[in-house]
Amino acid sequence: VLATIISTGTLGAQQTWNDPRTRELVEHATARRASQIADTALADYKATAHGYVTFLAQFGEGFPEPPKIVKADELGLEVYWRAPDLSKQRIMGRRDTLLLPTDINYHRDHLGIVQNNFRNIIRIGEGDEVKDVPHPLSPAGLEAYDFAIHDSLQIRLGPRVLDVYEVKVRPKDDRQPRAVGAVFIDRETGEVVRMAFSFTRAALMDKELEDVSVVLENALIEGRFWLPRRQEIEIRRTGSWLDYPARGIIRGRWEICCYEVNKGIPVSYFTGPEIVMAPPAERAQNPFPFKGQVLDSLPPDVRAVTDADVQKVQEEARALVRSQALRRSRSFAFSAGHVSDIARFNRVEGLALGAGLLQRIG
């Protein structure tokens, strides 16, 4: 369902953390999120998802050049969900192109979409990248985060007009594994329309991770159910070789459509891992006929240095919490100014080897 924003109002100047109106709204949203799992009106659904998972790289001090695409995968999924919280995703089509040598292997959950706006405990990269983060709209999240209504807007869905509040979210203790960002909540129903957030440093399991940003958007299906419509995730990992900076970026972008609600999907359909590759015989029927070359079909926001929505998440996260809570710590590294500092040869010295260490204090 296409949505049209027909008016906006800025409440930022009056933003107050944890005031009674905000608390009432987020508590309503938390209760609605929990009750939807038990909502007998939504027994199950089937949908399709089309997406790209792209690996990009940047090099050099300050990363002066835009990231280069190293590998791009295009995927087509069949998505299934059944109450209370069963999810299955079958990869029916996948193709890739490799532009530079790499041995990158994605976590399984990078190849699928997020169902139910995450569970009460958020994990990304099968727990290797983000782990043990309480969802802001969960019983634990109500105690772990501060909330403030920031903006209001109205969205027209056909003849229906929705009043939506943008609620800023920040952790009470930014040294703990927490999310940072915003949730967009329908004022009347308490449904989550959109989520956009990053994570504190403590939530990132890999010390080389620079940041992880997530944008989830929902659509109103059959005039009643808010279900996934569009999703983005960006994972940036920064390292170095001999103190020469290098950054790898995994960027996922998904569009979800074509819902079929309450079709009686059997429980047996959800056995095994959540995200699986369909058997070759089914994939051979080509239910997702890709067009042109992978690179030709990449949307502009996938090619961009950083998608505008993701960049906004990163900027707002830094504004909401201390920069130290998001910064990747790195105090020790090998260092060399030139290759000759490591190894050189001449007739007088013969073979000379050397190395340097870099220590940052504080």
Side-chain angles (χ1 to χ4, degrees):
V1 177
L2 295 179
T4 304
I5 299 176
I6 58 177
S7 69
T8 61
T10 301
L11 306 175
Q14 304 159 359
Q15 177 173 296
T16 304
W17 294 97
N18 301 318
D19 65 280
R21 182 177 61 156
T22 301
R23 291 297 303 184
E24 181 182 2
L25 179 67
V26 296
E27 287 171 5
H28 183 199
T30 301
R32 181 69 192 105
R33 183 171 172 271
S35 65
Q36 183 172 331
I37 296 176
D39 187 353
T40 56
L42 181 62
D44 57 57
Y45 63 74
K46 174 186 176 182
T48 59
H50 175 240
Y52 298 88
V53 179
T54 311
F55 178 64
L56 307 94
Q58 282 181 289
F59 301 96
E61 190 67 43
F63 305 112
E65 298 293 330
K68 301 289 193 299
I69 295 176
V70 176
K71 185 176 186 290
D73 289 63
E74 184 176 10
L75 299 105
L77 307 178
E78 289 181 349
V79 178
Y80 299 88
W81 182 89
R82 178 186 167 105
D85 195 20
L86 298 178
S87 175
K88 191 75 170 184
Q89 302 179 50
R90 304 174 77 229
I91 302 173
M92 304 299 295
R94 181 179 183 180
R95 62 173 180 170
D96 63 51
T97 184
L98 184 64
L99 302 183
L100 293 171
T102 180
D103 58 355
I104 180 74
N105 286 310
Y106 300 120
H107 286 92
R108 188 187 296 269
D109 60 2
H110 294 163
L111 304 177
I113 70 166
V114 176
Q115 299 267 52
N116 289 344
N117 299 305
F118 287 108
R119 292 180 168 87
N120 282 347
I121 296 297
I122 298 173
R123 303 178 72 197
I124 296 176
E126 299 175 285
D128 292 338
E129 291 162 341
V130 172
K131 185 178 181 181
D132 296 339
V133 173
H135 194 294
L137 300 179
S138 68
L142 292 177
E143 302 300 323
Y145 295 96
D146 293 323
F147 302 90
I149 294 176
H150 178 71
D151 282 339
S152 66
L153 60 141
Q154 290 185 315
I155 300 176
R156 183 182 296 280
L157 294 166
R160 186 173 179 180
V161 176
L162 303 177
D163 291 308
V164 176
Y165 280 148
E166 177 187 0
V167 180
K168 296 293 187 183
V169 179
R170 70 181 185 188
K172 292 182 181 295
D173 182 355
D174 57 25
R175 295 178 178 82
Q176 298 298 318
R178 299 289 186 263
V180 188
V183 292
F184 294 73
I185 301 171
D186 178 24
R187 178 180 176 180
E188 180 181 350
T189 66
E191 297 282 5
V192 176
V193 177
R194 188 175 191 264
M195 297 182 66
F197 53 90
S198 185
F199 298 93
T200 60
R201 177 68 250 166
L204 306 183
M205 305 306 295
D206 186 342
K207 66 179 183 179
E208 299 297 335
L209 280 172
E210 186 175 346
D211 53 51
V212 176
S213 304
V214 177
V215 178
L216 307 178
E217 292 185 0
N218 297 326
L220 191 60
I221 305 300
E222 296 193 354
R224 180 170 182 178
F225 309 113
W226 286 97
L227 301 175
R229 182 188 73 88
R230 178 177 173 269
Q231 300 185 359
E232 295 178 63
I233 183 170
E234 182 170 298
I235 302 165
R236 298 198 297 179
R237 183 177 278 102
T238 305
S240 63
W241 183 80
L242 300 177
D243 208 33
Y244 186 71
R247 171 187 285 160
I249 303 170
I250 296 174
R251 182 173 296 158
R253 182 185 185 277
W254 295 93
E255 301 281 348
I256 304 98
C257 73
C258 313
Y259 280 91
E260 299 177 23
V261 176
N262 295 337
K263 295 298 182 181
I265 303 172
V267 176
S268 60
Y269 209 78
F270 297 88
T271 58
E274 178 184 2
I275 302 173
V276 297
M277 183 71 74
E282 294 186 42
R283 285 185 280 121
Q285 298 174 11
N286 198 21
F288 289 91
F290 299 128
K291 298 178 181 179
Q293 301 298 315
V294 177
L295 292 181
D296 296 335
S297 65
L298 280 176
D301 55 348
V302 177
R303 294 176 176 272
V305 175
T306 296
D307 179 78
D309 281 343
V310 172
Q311 185 175 12
K312 183 179 179 182
V313 171
Q314 295 165 354
E315 291 172 351
E316 291 186 348
R318 282 160 176 76
L320 286 171
V321 300
R322 298 174 305 113
S323 60
Q324 294 93 325
L326 299 166
R327 185 176 300 145
R328 181 177 62 90
S329 61
R330 180 171 163 272
S331 59
F332 177 83
F334 289 103
S335 180
H338 304 87
V339 173
S340 60
D341 293 341
I342 305 168
R344 65 179 181 270
F345 178 84
N346 60 46
R347 294 179 180 179
V348 177
E349 293 181 309
L351 178 64
L353 303 175
L357 299 177
L358 179 67
Q359 180 82 42
R360 292 185 176 91
I361 306 299

